[in-house]
């Protein structure tokens, strides 16, 4: 007989067999096991198609932009909108917030510099409606309340307000416009360190935050610290296209946990923001002449 071979004896026909009730019980157990396996497979399939808690995206609703950001910005992140004066930073932040509110997400717009009336005028000009209950006017608080200028811990004031507002009604998005003025009001001694803790507080709330910051040619100031500390940076700037014409450029300079383009887009507004692919200006015919 061959070595190391295990021989299996088969039951002879007509040999002893299991009782029908025992076979029925084993068959029932087999059916239950198959059902459990099917339920596990279905649950795994549902989980694989559903975004994880850290993968949810909040859209910007800027045409052609969200596909380049894997659907939008990661939920719970702090996004800086930086650019020089007049580059539509406030308009872009208002647009993102109001479009998300129209989609069912709750949010507040904290204006530190402009008045509520000025923000409402911008909204009407952009065709974003007349709703104003989400606008928080810290600028008016500074003017109307005696001794408000003596308040040093404006970051704490804003934190307390957001906590109370969030307890009353869950907040999904927050816009702070501008963080430059907020830092000045709070008389921050160590801007980067104080903003680091403030941004950590915003992330701990689970809100998606847009902070507006003015940038200058020197590359210094609050905008530099804000860009360093933020999870993402939307950069706006002007570019000449020849013969006295200027266009507004936009790019996502960084966005954590996202495979995104860092190329410039041309940002336009016509009943809604749109990011069009950037094309190099053609040589001016003025310069082509000898």
């Amino acid at each position: 007989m061959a070595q190391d071979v295990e021989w299996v004896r088969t039951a002879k026909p007509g040999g002893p067999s299991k009782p029908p009730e025992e076979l029925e019980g084993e068959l029932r157990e087999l059916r239950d096991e198959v059902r459990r396996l099917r339920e596990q497979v279905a649950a795994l399939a549902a989980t694989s198609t559903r975004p994880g808690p850290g993968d949810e995206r909040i859209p910007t609703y800027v045409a052609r932009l969200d596909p380049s950001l894997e659907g939008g910005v990661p939920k719970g992140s702090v996004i800086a909108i930086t650019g020089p004066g007049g580059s539509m930073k406030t308009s872009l932040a208002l647009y993102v917030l109001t479009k998300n509110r129209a989609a069912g997400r709750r949010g507040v717009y904290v204006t530190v510099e402009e008045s509520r009336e000025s923000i409402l005028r911008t909204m009407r000009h952009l065709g974003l409606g007349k709703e104003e209950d989400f606008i928080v006017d810290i600028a008016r608080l500074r003017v109307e309340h005696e001794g408000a200028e003596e308040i040093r811990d404006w970051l704490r004031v804003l934190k307390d307000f957001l906590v109370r507002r969030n307890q009353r009604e869950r907040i999904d998005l927050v816009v702070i416009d501008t963080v430059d003025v907020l830092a000045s009001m709070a008389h921050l001694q160590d801007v980067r360190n104080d903003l680091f803790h403030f941004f950590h507080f915003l992330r701990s709330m689970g809100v998606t935050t847009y902070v507006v910051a003015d940038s200058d040619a020197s590359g210094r100031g609050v905008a530099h610290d804000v860009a360093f500390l933020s999870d993402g940076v939307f950069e706006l700037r002007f570019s000449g296209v020849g013969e006295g014409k200027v266009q507004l450029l936009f790019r996502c300079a960084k966005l954590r946990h996202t495979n995104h383009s860092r190329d410039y887009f041309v940002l336009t507004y016509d009943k809604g923001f749109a990011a069009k692919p950037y094309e190099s200006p053609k040589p001016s015919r003025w310069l082509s002449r000898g």
Side-chain angles (χ1 to χ4, degrees):
M1 181 180 293
Q3 300 298 318
D4 301 326
V5 176
E6 182 180 357
W7 294 92
V8 180
R9 296 178 179 271
T10 57
K12 295 181 180 180
S17 59
K18 295 182 179 180
E21 58 274 11
E22 187 174 343
L23 289 174
E24 184 177 349
E26 290 182 356
L27 184 59
R28 185 165 51 249
E29 291 178 2
L30 182 60
R31 289 195 185 112
D32 291 341
E33 183 65 22
V34 170
R35 177 180 55 78
R36 284 193 294 269
L37 288 173
R38 285 177 176 172
E39 291 174 351
Q40 291 175 5
V41 170
L44 287 172
T47 303
S48 64
T49 57
R50 189 188 310 128
D55 297 330
E56 185 175 347
R57 299 274 163 168
I58 305 298
T60 66
Y61 294 97
V62 176
R64 302 186 184 182
L65 176 60
D66 288 330
S68 72
L69 304 178
E70 298 185 354
V73 303
K75 181 181 179 181
S77 55
V78 177
I79 308 298
I81 301 179
T82 67
S87 56
M88 300 189 77
K89 299 185 297 296
T90 293
S91 297
L92 178 60
L94 269 173
Y95 179 83
V96 172
L97 181 58
T98 54
K99 289 297 182 181
N100 273 284
R101 283 178 59 85
R105 298 180 181 91
R106 295 186 176 93
V108 294
Y109 194 101
V110 180
T111 172
V112 186
E113 184 175 5
E114 292 188 57
S115 67
R116 177 192 297 268
E117 289 71 24
S118 178
I119 296 297
L120 287 171
R121 186 173 181 179
T122 300
M123 288 179 58
R124 290 193 295 268
H125 180 71
L126 296 173
L128 298 177
K130 301 178 181 179
E131 185 184 8
E132 60 177 275
D133 64 321
F134 66 94
I135 301 175
V136 180
D137 189 354
I138 289 185
R140 174 175 292 180
L141 180 65
R142 295 173 63 196
V143 173
E144 293 182 352
H145 287 259
E146 184 178 355
E149 291 298 333
E150 299 302 319
I151 298 176
R152 292 276 173 167
D153 200 353
W154 279 98
L155 289 184
R156 170 56 58 187
V157 171
L158 184 53
K159 286 179 183 179
D160 291 343
F161 165 78
L162 291 174
V163 168
R164 291 195 303 271
R165 182 74 175 247
N166 193 52
Q167 290 173 344
R168 188 175 78 235
E169 179 184 66
R170 175 67 186 175
I171 302 174
D172 298 304
L173 283 92
V174 173
V175 172
I176 300 174
D177 184 10
T178 65
V179 72
D180 309 72
V181 178
L182 180 61
S184 176
M185 288 168 51
H187 303 281
L188 303 184
Q189 299 300 317
D190 187 345
V191 174
R192 181 166 293 193
N193 182 63
D194 292 337
L195 288 180
F196 169 82
H197 290 289
F198 182 56
F199 288 178
H200 177 72
F201 158 78
L202 293 168
R203 295 186 188 100
S204 69
M205 286 186 63
V207 300
T208 303
T209 309
Y210 283 88
V211 291
V212 178
D214 291 321
S215 62
D216 56 37
S218 69
R220 297 188 297 270
V222 175
H224 178 70
D225 294 318
V226 168
F228 177 79
L229 296 170
S230 298
D231 302 301
V233 178
F234 287 174
E235 177 189 318
L236 295 164
R237 75 175 183 87
F238 297 111
S239 176
V241 292
E243 300 185 7
K245 295 185 180 296
V246 175
Q247 58 188 3
L248 180 60
L249 300 186
F250 168 96
R251 80 181 184 108
C252 179
K254 79 171 184 180
L255 188 59
R256 289 176 180 147
H257 315 301
T258 305
N259 181 18
H260 64 94
S261 170
R262 290 171 177 79
D263 294 339
Y264 280 103
F265 293 87
V266 177
L267 192 66
T268 61
Y269 191 88
D270 183 12
K271 298 180 180 180
F273 275 103
K276 301 179 180 179
Y278 173 77
E279 296 181 1
S280 299
K282 296 180 180 179
S284 171
R285 67 174 185 272
W286 293 358
L287 300 177
S288 63
R289 295 176 180 175

